[in-house]
């Protein structure tokens, strides 16, 4: 399928939608806790496949254009979530009595005015080339082409060296470390990243002015992926409380993904079709590179269901999801919309279903629902909320986060944060595992929660900032699959039956925590194997 553009949204229409979504929900009735939790069982039945399917196909449909963080598409999806929360009877819990908590993203990207003039032709960023590290540079020099397999020597000093990234050179690297994501394309990406760094450093050491690296025709899909990433650039949020540092992103790099620090000369990656132009006479080139900086709004959607116990209703069980995905990118098999049905529309609609369930069967503690913005840009919404919560941070007794809960084997799932060193609360992990035994009976894959797992999956979702600031936190997931971060992550590929069971598991865990006499505790000496970007 190709991209379909929805009808234009004027600023006035967007503001009207925001205003409508800010209207308070009908207050939850006060209910006494049931000794046998019959109300909780009724809440489980309130989670239906029909509701999940309807919401999933709306949120992950083409009309949402992939919900890219920091864009109007993310705002449109966030307004949709807030309106569905209001319809479900959830009360606003964002800023100033609304469902919204806005924060700013600072975006830095290579300017699309960047160009290379080679002979009489003009090569454009990012169509013809990308820059492996965002940089400003203005230089001109003669071009010298290095033969395949040869290393640049002193003869390239003061020149712009052109080298091809060949399949043979990539294969010659031997074994490479595993990288996030399934499939052989990921190994190819790792090999190319190492080859780019190797050849860029060799050109620098030989005294070249710049390095032009031209991909082999078989590597064109990699060039397309990198060029799309380069256009988006890097996203940072305001200073993170407790650090004074700017927030970076796991997925927001503007150069070649995964590359180490770029050499102090411009290293440009070119598509295969420009090689003849770079070799043409007169063999000179002028490089004009500049950087653009922008500020964009992003948003968390925050709602609540008040608790029934006067002594506990000021404590919160926080259910967590993110509503953004990857937006509109390069075309793959005729499709340019990266819908993100599993990642993470599944959990976004699961929270709506849980909200309806809690509304029907309120717990002693209050339930807080946070749909985090710009997770795909680097967990920005969850870092922001963990540092600027709309309720007292000490009142958040647990975070139940989900990310991708609708694919793979129907009877398997994973619970990250349930074993050391990622487990920060034994009591919360026990509550979740007990809920699974009682309600859903998934076979738990514990391998992805280990420090030795290649994906580092624990560090890639919105529970992480909360764990770092001392809030008991868990991560519910059904793990990666071949459609991860591709346009093929479509709603018709989601296992709705499994999605309902995962939603019930999260709900049953929260129901148990919300009604327990004691709140979960943080394990003494909890410390992750990687440093946190935010401190208590």
């Amino acid at each position: 399928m190709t991209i379909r553009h929805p009808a234009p949204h004027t600023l006035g229409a967007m503001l009207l939608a925001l205003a409508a979504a800010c209207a308070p929900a009908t207050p939850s009735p006060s209910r006494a806790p049931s000794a046998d939790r019959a109300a909780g069982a009724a809440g489980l039945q309130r989670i239906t496949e029909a509701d999940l399917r309807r919401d999933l196909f709306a949120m992950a449909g083409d009309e949402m254009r992939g919900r890219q963080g920091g864009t109007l598409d993310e705002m449109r999806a966030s307004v949709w979530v807030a309106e569905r929360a209001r319809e479900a009877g959830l009360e606003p819990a964002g800023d100033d009595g609304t469902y919204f908590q806005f924060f700013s993203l600072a975006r830095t990207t290579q300017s699309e005015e960047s160009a290379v003039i080679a002979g009489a032709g003009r090569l454009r960023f990012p169509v013809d080339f990308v820059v492996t590290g965002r940089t400003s540079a203005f230089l001109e020099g003669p071009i010298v082409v290095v033969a395949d397999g040869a290393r640049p020597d002193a003869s390239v000093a003061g020149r712009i060296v052109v080298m091809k990234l060949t399949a043979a050179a990539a294969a010659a690297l031997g074994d490479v470390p595993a990288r996030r994501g399934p499939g052989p394309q990921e190994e190819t990406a790792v090999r190319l990243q190492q080859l780019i760094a190797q050849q860029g450093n060799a050109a620098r050491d030989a005294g070249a002015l710049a390095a032009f690296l031209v991909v082999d025709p078989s590597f064109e899909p990699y060039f397309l992926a990198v060029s799309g990433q380069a256009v988006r650039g890097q996203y940072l949020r305001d200073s993170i409380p407790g650090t004074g540092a700017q927030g970076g992103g796991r997925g927001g790099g503007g150069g070649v993904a995964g590359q180490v620090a770029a050499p102090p000369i411009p290293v440009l990656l070119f598509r295969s079709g420009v090689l003849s132009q770079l070799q043409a006479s007169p063999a000179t080139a002028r490089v004009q590179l500049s950087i653009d900086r922008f500020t964009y709004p992003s948003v968390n959607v925050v709602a609540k269901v008040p608790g029934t116990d006067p002594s506990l209703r000021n404590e919160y069980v926080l259910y967590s999801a993110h509503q953004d995905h990857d937006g509109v990118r390069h075309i793959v098999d005729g499709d340019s919309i990266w819908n993100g049905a599993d990642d993470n529309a599944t959990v976004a609609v699961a929270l709506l279903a849980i909200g309806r369930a809690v509304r029907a069967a309120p717990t002693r503690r209050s339930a807080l629902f946070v749909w985090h913005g710009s997770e795909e840009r680097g967990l920005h919404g969850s870092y922001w909320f963990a540092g600027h919560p709309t309720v007292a941070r000490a009142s958040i007794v647990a975070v139940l986060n989900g990310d991708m809960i609708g694919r793979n084997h129907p009877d398997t799932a994973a619970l990250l944060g349930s074993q050391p060193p990622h487990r920060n609360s034994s009591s919360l992990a026990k509550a979740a595992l007990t809920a699974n035994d009682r309600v859903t009976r998934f076979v738990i894959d514990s391998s992805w929660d280990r420090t030795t797992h290649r994906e580092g999956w624990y560090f890639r979702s919105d529970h992480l900032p909360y764990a770092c600031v001392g809030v008991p936190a868990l991560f519910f997931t059904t793990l990666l699959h071949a459609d991860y971060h591709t346009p093929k992550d479509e709603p018709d590929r989601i296992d709705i039956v499994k999605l309902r069971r995962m939603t019930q598991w999260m709900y049953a865990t929260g129901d148990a925590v919300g009604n327990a006499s004691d709140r979960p505790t943080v394990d003494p000496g909890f410390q992750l194997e990687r440093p946190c970007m935010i401190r208590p």
Side-chain angles (χ1 to χ4, degrees), residues 312 314-318 365-366 392-399 425 428 470-473 513-514 518-522:
L312 295 178
N314 290 327
E315 296 181 354
Y316 297 88
V317 177
L318 191 157
R365 291 182 174 86
S366 297
R393 192 160 70 190
S395 70
I396 303 172
V397 305
V399 170
S425 174
L428 180 59
V471 179
V513 175
D518 298 322
R519 59 191 289 168
T521 57
V522 175

Side-chain angles (χ1 to χ4, degrees), residues 212-223:
F212 290 179
L213 309 180
V214 185
V215 300
D216 184 273
S218 64
F219 296 151
E220 282 291 315
Y222 174 79
F223 177 84

Side-chain angles (χ1 to χ4, degrees), residues 364-389:
R364 299 172 67 192
R365 291 182 174 86
S366 297
L368 189 66
F369 300 85
V370 185
W371 291 265
H372 298 103
S374 295
E375 187 267 359
E376 299 290 356
R377 302 291 148 256
L379 313 185
H380 291 302
S382 52
Y383 271 113
W384 186 259
F385 194 87
H388 305 81

